[in-house]
Each structure stands twice: as C-alpha cells, then as structure tokens.
Amino acid sequence: MPKKPISRKASLASRTVRRKTSDSARPPEQGDQWRKWAFCLLLTVVVFAVYFPALRHPFVIYDDVDYVSQNQQVQQGLTLGTLRWALTSMEFSNWHPLTWMSHALDCELFGLDAGGHHFTSLLLHAINAVILFLLLSRMTGKMGRSLMVALLFGLHPVNVESVAWVAERKTVLSMLFLLLALWAYLWYARKPGIGRHLCVDALFALALAAKPMAVTFPFMLLLLDYWPLRRIKMQGFELHGMKDGQSASDTLSLSLPQFPPLRLLTEKLPLFALSAASCAVTVIAQHRVAMKTVEAFPLRDRVVNAIFSYVMYLWKVVWPVHLSVFYAPQGSRLATWQTILCLAFLAGITILVWRGRWSRPYLLMGWLWFLGTMVPMIGIVQVGDQGMADRYVYLPYVGIFIAVVWGLTDLAQMRRIEPWRSAAAAGAFLLILSFLTRMQLRYWESSYALFTHSLQVTPENYVGEDIVGTALLEEAFRTTGQKCTTEALLHFQNAVRIYPRDTLGHIDLGFCRETQGNLQEAIKEYQTALQVTGSKVLRKRALINLAGVYRVLREFALARDYYNECLQIDPGDQDARKGLARVDKEEKMPSLEDAIAALSRAAAQRQDAKLYFQLGNLQRVAGRVPDALISYQKAFSLDPNLTEARAALKELDPSK
C-alpha cells in the first residue's frame, strides 16, 4: 500500500522540531562557557567583598551560646560520640543532625575562633548564590537574568541574618542541599530513572537534616514543572513551541520529556513521604517547648499575623530598612481594616499573576514559590515567640527575585529601553543593596549593638530586653567587676513586664536580686522561672541557681533536692555535681552568722581592706545589706585601689 505523501508544511514543521531539539541538545558555545564561569567568579568576589566584615564579628549571646560557644558536645569536634548525639538529639527543639555536625567540623578546624565559623557560613552563602545562578541559567538559558537573581539573593540585606548569625548555619546549609537537589531533579527530568530519583531523594533528605524549612520541596518541583521546565503534558504546555502571546523570554532552553499531571504528582510521592516524616519529627521536637498552644497564641491572631507578615516581607524586598533580629507578633494589635487591606493587597497580586499565567508564567511560578515556601514559617503553627523573622525568607525570596527580574526585563524590552540603561539601573540598585547590607552587618558587631537596634525597631520586645541586659552584665563584670547594674536590672524588669512568662528574664532578675543580697526575692524569681519554662536548659539553670541560694542560707536539704532534680534532667551536669560536693563540705562548717562574727573581729583587729571586703560579701549573702555597705565602704577607704569593693558598692548603692 503506497505511503501517504507528507505535505510540505508538515515536513517543514518536522524539520523545525528536529532543529529545535538538536539545538537544545547542542553543548554551549565556548564563549558562553567562559562567560558563565566569569560570572561565577564575579558573584563569589562580590558576595565576599560585601560580607567580609562579618569575619571579624564575635559570637552573639542569642543562640550562638547554645549552638557553639558553650555547647560541649559540638566542641568535641568530629567524633563518633558527637555523631551519635547529633543523630538522636532534639536539643533546642530541633532535629538537625547535619547542622550539628557542621558546627562540630568548624570546632575541629577553628576551635572557638568565631571568625572561622563566620567564614564557613559566608562560604556556604556564596556557593548557594553561584549554584542558584548556574541552575537558573541552565533551566532558562537566560544568563543575564539568572545572574541578576543570584546577585539579589547574595546581596539583599534581609539575608544578613542567615549569613552573619552563626546559629543560623542551618539555613544556609539546608539551602545548599536544596539547590543541589534541584540540580539533581533537572538531571532526572532529562531522563527519568530510579537511580536519578534516588539521588534527588538523598539530597532532599540531607536538606531536611540541616533544617526542616525544606519540607515544601515537592511543591517547588511541581512549580518548576510548570515553568521553566514545562514537563506538564496538557493544553498550553507544548513541548517545543510557545503558546500565542508568550514572550520571547519564555523560549525553552531544554527539551524535556512531558508527562500528564498525575504522573508528575505520582513520581514525587517519595519526596512527599520524606516531607511528612520531617514534619512529624519537627512536631515531636518542638511540641513541648517551642510550639505554642492556641491559648497562648489564638488562631485568629495567628492568621492575622500571617497575612500581615506576607505583606511586610514583600515590602522589605524593595525597602529593606529597620530590620530586626526579633519582631513581636502583630496579630492582636492590628485593626480589622488593616487586616482587610493586607488581604486585598495579596489577593490583587494573585489575580494579576493568574491572568498572566500563559503569557508570563514566571510571575505565577515566582509568586506561588514565595507563598508556598513561606507556609511552614508563616506562623499558623506557631513555633517560638517571634511574629516574623528575616531568616525565614532566605528560600522564599528566590521566587520573588525570579518574578521581578524576568518581569522587569520583559517590560524593558516591550518599552524598547536600551539594554545599557537597564543594566545601569540594575547596577545602581545592587549598589544600594550592598550599602544597606554593610550597614546591617554593623549591628552584628556585638550582642549589645544587635539588640539595642532591635529594641529601637520593635520597642515592646522582651527578647531584646533580655539580651541587652545580659550584654550589660557581661560588660560591667569585665570592666568593673560588678555582677549586676541598675541599667541591666531595668531591662530584665521590662522583659518580664512585657512577657510575664519570660523564663530567661525571671532567671536574670533573680540573679540580680541574689547579687544584691535580697535572697528571698531571688528565690521567688527562680521559682517563677521553673513554673513557666518548657526548656530543659533553662530549667537546669534555674534549679542550679535556686540550689545555690538555699546552700548559702544553709538549708542544705532543699539545696540537695534541687541539685538532684537537675541531675535527673542531665546526669552529667558538672555544676550540679560540684554543688552537691559543696553542700557536703559546708554542712560541716560553722554557721554563716558565726563566720560573720569571726571575720568581723579579725577585720577590726588587723584593719585589712580585703578582710572587710570578704566580711561585706558574707553580710550581703546573709541579707544584711546595710552592714555590707558599711564593710565595703570601710574596705574602699582603707584601699581605694580595691576595685572589687568599689564594684560591690555600686551594685548595692548606685549613688556611691
């Protein structure tokens, strides 16, 4: 039977398809390869140049203490014991073994040199920017636009928190493996197979092991299937052509096999299973400590705060000033009209990008990427006390950057704006961002600077009050020997006023009362801390302090009980073990009043400044503050160079 002749039109279409297929498979030109690697080098140099001051920053009091500077497990370095602990630990309400091992590796390499730890975080951030550029360039074929997205990601001030904060290593580390998983998915999409899928699964699992923010990864892949990969086989998703009205920028750079939507959803079931497992582990880790109940944070307030936060995150894309390490929740403070206005704004953007889903698919993809990847961190499931956080947008902002860069570039082409003008405008904007990033980095030079700025941005901020007060205590003790100052005490009082269930505020307030000799008030604050805390670490600290006060009061049975309760939480706690040893020793010693009487006689006979200072300490412990003031004054008059006596006088009477 003779074959039906092929029409000239069909033959031409067939040759066009083959030409496009062969063009997409053709390796890049040598000049493009050199340009790509030059852009990678430029991106790395620029990111390091802007963030370089962070390498001189110390650890901050907020979380760096728990994660590195006072974490004995991490400081052991890369050992089997550390690995076992990392795999089983849910310390600080998180399961992220890869993050713990990353910190342990830094301790192995740099010890407690903060600069080395900052270098690792900065290196990871620069690598993330480079991979993002290469990935977008490979998927879209648009090298210039991809570079702009990567530069925005690398230089935007909102990302300073994720890079300059050592405790946020989990964010940059999780992003690294998430981007590598995206790269593996691109490899898989070219030729689907079990081996390639397992590679995607493994990299995704590593991203989750660094931080559970990666749980939305399967949904991200579905968005990439829509654009730019166009793996969806349905009307409007032609393999080699463009739908009527599509822009020139939407031309495919890859020729990938297409499948029905159900097949694309089914292939991601193992990834959904990993996400579900990560969510379950995270809920277990955070349920008793960090996760807030509906009574503490009503559902209505959570929803309102989430809507407001989405709008504020968008605002910070174009106006990244007044950034803070802590933002108080706003759900209970917003008026109904403000909530409706925010919701209308978000709905308006959604309608606009939906209308352009065929002609400008990158708008819908970028918008849904932003909305979707924010869901685990938007606060509907409230973890912690913050209303929003800059570190949460490290991943979600990628979608906004893609939508903005592709959209503005297409707009410039439609308006026939000369390329050099567009490049100049982009360069000016990047310079402004770099300047603002440098300015934001200055606040990370010390805990005091960081949280003083935070209090200026969000005044009703109990976390900021706690950290500023603690920083003042450390500075006063380092310079004058004072254990507590009036200024620090005011910050702790503000903290518990703003949030009466602030465990750290009550502990620090109790410490100040204890150093002032007001032991009953100190006991009251420590007991309150035990009632409101859900943290094992803070509970141990309150128990140790409480046992120490009862030891001073010679109520040894109570002191033993509190030390033993601490050991039930952590059998290896050295402070509790040493405290029990002191109880056994002091129980055999004379009473506090007998010691005061004996020391008082010795000081009067010898007229020795140090003896009077020791006498003042005993009187202070016994609650005899007026007598302690007299003894300190006597010590200072005998030896004006005795700085300890001067510091003690200032603590008990700031007017001295």
Side-chain angles (χ1 to χ4, degrees):
M1 184 175 181
K3 294 183 180 179
K4 185 177 180 180
I6 301 175
S7 68
R8 181 182 179 189
K9 183 177 180 181
S11 177
L12 179 60
S14 176
R15 288 198 299 271
T16 302
V17 169
R18 286 197 301 270
R19 187 184 307 118
K20 287 182 178 180
T21 304
S22 61
D23 288 346
S24 64
R26 183 186 301 136
E29 296 292 337
Q30 191 69 20
D32 287 345
Q33 286 283 41
W34 280 108
R35 190 157 60 102
K36 181 181 293 185
W37 295 119
F39 282 160
C40 290
L41 179 61
L42 172 66
L43 189 55
T44 305
V45 170
V46 168
V47 170
F48 264 90
V50 172
Y51 275 92
F52 185 79
L55 302 182
R56 298 191 294 267
H57 292 176
F59 295 115
V60 295
I61 297 172
Y62 194 40
D63 282 2
D64 283 356
V65 173
D66 298 326
Y67 273 77
V68 181
S69 61
Q70 292 184 17
N71 189 310
Q72 295 179 356
Q73 289 285 353
V74 166
Q75 290 174 21
Q76 292 177 9
L78 295 179
T79 65
L80 287 177
T82 303
L83 178 60
R84 283 194 296 268
W85 172 80
L87 290 172
T88 58
S89 171
M90 291 191 180
E91 295 284 339
F92 313 114
S93 306
N94 278 298
W95 183 81
H96 41 37
L98 196 61
T99 294
W100 287 128
M101 295 309 294
S102 171
H103 288 303
L105 175 60
D106 274 1
C107 288
E108 187 85 27
L109 296 174
F110 311 113
L112 291 180
D113 177 13
H117 295 257
H118 284 299
F119 174 79
T120 301
S121 295
L122 176 51
L123 179 63
L124 288 171
H125 179 57
I127 292 173
N128 288 341
V130 169
I131 295 177
L132 179 61
F133 160 66
L134 293 174
L135 186 62
L136 284 176
S137 180
R138 184 73 184 96
M139 288 193 299
T140 66
K142 301 297 179 182
M143 200 178 301
R145 303 179 194 214
S146 301
L147 178 63
M148 185 63 185
V149 170
L151 284 168
L152 288 172
F153 171 81
L155 301 177
H156 202 285
V158 172
N159 285 341
V160 166
E161 183 174 303
S162 298
V163 182
W165 190 6
V166 171
E168 272 308 303
R169 169 71 55 74
K170 51 184 176 281
T171 297
V172 293
L173 189 62
S174 179
M175 186 67 165
L176 171 65
F177 286 101
L178 198 63
L179 291 171
L180 291 175
L182 288 176
W183 196 284
Y185 180 72
L186 180 58
W187 179 53
Y188 164 82
R190 292 176 64 88
K191 188 179 179 181
I194 295 177
R196 298 189 180 201
H197 200 299
L198 288 175
C199 183
V200 178
D201 298 341
L203 289 168
F204 176 45
L206 289 173
L208 292 172
K211 187 179 182 180
M213 75 170 190
V215 291
T216 55
F217 179 69
F219 299 99
M220 293 162 54
L221 298 185
L222 290 173
L223 289 175
L224 292 176
D225 288 339
Y226 161 67
W227 186 90
L229 301 183
R230 287 206 177 275
R231 298 185 65 219
I232 304 176
K233 188 176 184 180
M234 57 186 293
Q235 186 179 4
F237 289 86
E238 291 78 3
L239 182 58
H240 296 292
M242 293 187 297
K243 189 175 176 70
D244 292 341
Q246 280 184 305
S247 65
S249 68
D250 199 38
T251 305
L252 294 175
S253 68
L254 296 171
S255 177
L256 301 178
Q258 289 185 314
F259 301 98
L262 185 60
R263 159 71 187 273
L264 295 177
L265 188 63
T266 303
E267 73 180 9
K268 296 172 180 61
L269 289 180
L271 300 173
F272 281 112
L274 285 172
S275 291
S278 177
C279 289
V281 172
T282 302
V283 168
I284 293 171
Q286 297 181 339
H287 178 67
R288 293 186 177 181
V289 180
M291 193 171 292
K292 302 302 178 181
T293 63
V294 177
E295 291 76 18
F297 278 82
L299 182 59
R300 182 262 176 196
D301 291 349
R302 299 184 190 201
V303 173
V304 171
N305 186 77
I307 295 170
F308 173 76
S309 296
Y310 268 122
V311 175
M312 290 306 299
Y313 285 135
L314 289 174
W315 175 243
K316 290 178 186 296
V317 173
V318 295
W319 194 252
V321 296
H322 303 304
L323 304 179
S324 172
V325 72
F326 182 86
Y327 300 97
Q330 300 296 315
S332 60
R333 303 179 186 182
L334 292 182
T336 302
W337 68 268
Q338 291 173 309
T339 306
I340 293 174
L341 189 63
C342 291
L343 191 58
F345 177 71
L346 296 174
I349 295 177
T350 303
I351 292 171
L352 287 175
V353 301
W354 178 255
R355 291 178 62 183
R357 65 189 182 279
W358 299 122
S359 59
R360 301 287 183 268
Y362 49 77
L363 294 178
L364 182 61
M365 177 269 181
W367 179 242
L368 293 181
W369 178 297
F370 168 69
L371 293 179
T373 54
M374 279 299 315
V375 168
M377 302 163 286
I378 201 61
I380 299 300
V381 178
Q382 182 66 35
V383 176
D385 300 311
Q386 68 287 332
M388 53 187 288
D390 295 341
R391 59 190 177 274
Y392 290 166
V393 295
Y394 193 73
L395 170 63
Y397 265 13
V398 171
I400 296 297
F401 293 153
I402 291 172
V404 169
V405 170
W406 256 257
L408 289 179
T409 305
D410 277 356
L411 182 62
Q413 290 178 354
M414 289 173 57
R415 297 291 180 86
R416 299 183 183 280
I417 297 175
E418 295 180 18
W420 71 267
R421 294 182 184 274
S422 299
F429 186 65
L430 290 173
L431 283 175
I432 294 172
L433 288 184
S434 299
F435 172 76
L436 293 175
T437 295
R438 272 295 184 95
M439 294 297 294
Q440 187 64 24
L441 278 170
R442 292 174 59 185
Y443 298 124
W444 289 85
E445 291 178 350
S446 69
S447 301
Y448 179 78
L450 179 62
F451 282 92
T452 300
H453 172 70
S454 179
L455 287 176
Q456 293 171 353
V457 176
T458 54
E460 291 295 297
N461 175 353
Y462 77 91
V463 174
E465 298 284 1
D466 280 335
I467 302 300
V468 170
T470 303
L472 288 171
L473 287 186
E474 290 185 352
E475 179 65 18
F477 185 75
R478 185 179 64 83
T479 56
T480 66
Q482 286 180 273
K483 294 181 179 179
C484 187
T485 65
T486 303
E487 188 179 0
L489 182 63
L490 288 174
H491 282 289
F492 298 140
Q493 290 173 332
N494 282 337
V496 297
R497 173 187 60 78
I498 295 168
Y499 185 49
R501 296 181 63 84
D502 175 23
T503 305
L504 187 60
H506 284 293
I507 291 175
D508 289 333
L509 199 53
F511 174 77
C512 279
R513 297 304 188 195
E514 183 180 349
T515 59
Q516 292 172 340
N518 195 340
L519 300 188
Q520 294 305 319
E521 282 296 318
I523 290 173
K524 180 180 176 182
E525 295 296 340
Y526 293 146
Q527 292 283 14
T528 303
L530 289 176
Q531 293 170 8
V532 301
T533 189
S535 166
K536 290 182 179 180
V537 174
L538 293 179
R539 186 172 188 84
K540 282 178 13 180
R541 182 172 166 185
L543 288 169
I544 291 291
N545 289 6
L546 196 55
V549 173
Y550 280 117
R551 199 185 78 238
V552 168
L553 292 174
R554 297 184 68 81
E555 296 186 34
F556 297 118
L558 284 173
R560 276 199 185 88
D561 289 343
Y562 286 118
Y563 281 132
N564 285 323
E565 187 176 345
C566 179
L567 289 173
Q568 289 177 1
I569 299 173
D570 181 6
D573 191 282
Q574 293 302 311
D575 290 333
R577 292 186 178 279
K578 291 176 182 177
L580 284 173
R582 291 193 190 100
V583 167
D584 293 337
K585 182 179 179 181
E586 291 171 4
E587 212 171 11
K588 303 173 184 177
M589 296 173 62
S591 68
L592 185 60
E593 290 300 326
D594 291 341
I596 289 173
L599 193 57
S600 179
R601 289 192 297 270
Q605 291 174 1
R606 297 171 54 183
Q607 291 297 301
D608 185 277
K610 291 186 177 180
L611 287 179
Y612 273 110
F613 174 69
Q614 294 172 8
L615 176 61
N617 288 340
L618 289 179
Q619 292 167 330
R620 185 175 179 177
V621 166
R624 294 163 51 176
V625 176
D627 292 339
L629 277 171
I630 294 172
S631 297
Y632 288 141
Q633 186 64 54
K634 182 67 174 178
F636 186 63
S637 63
L638 289 172
D639 184 2
N641 295 322
L642 191 60
T643 56
E644 297 93 335
R646 180 187 298 175
L649 277 171
K650 286 184 178 180
E651 287 175 2
L652 295 183
D653 187 356
S655 63
K656 295 292 185 180

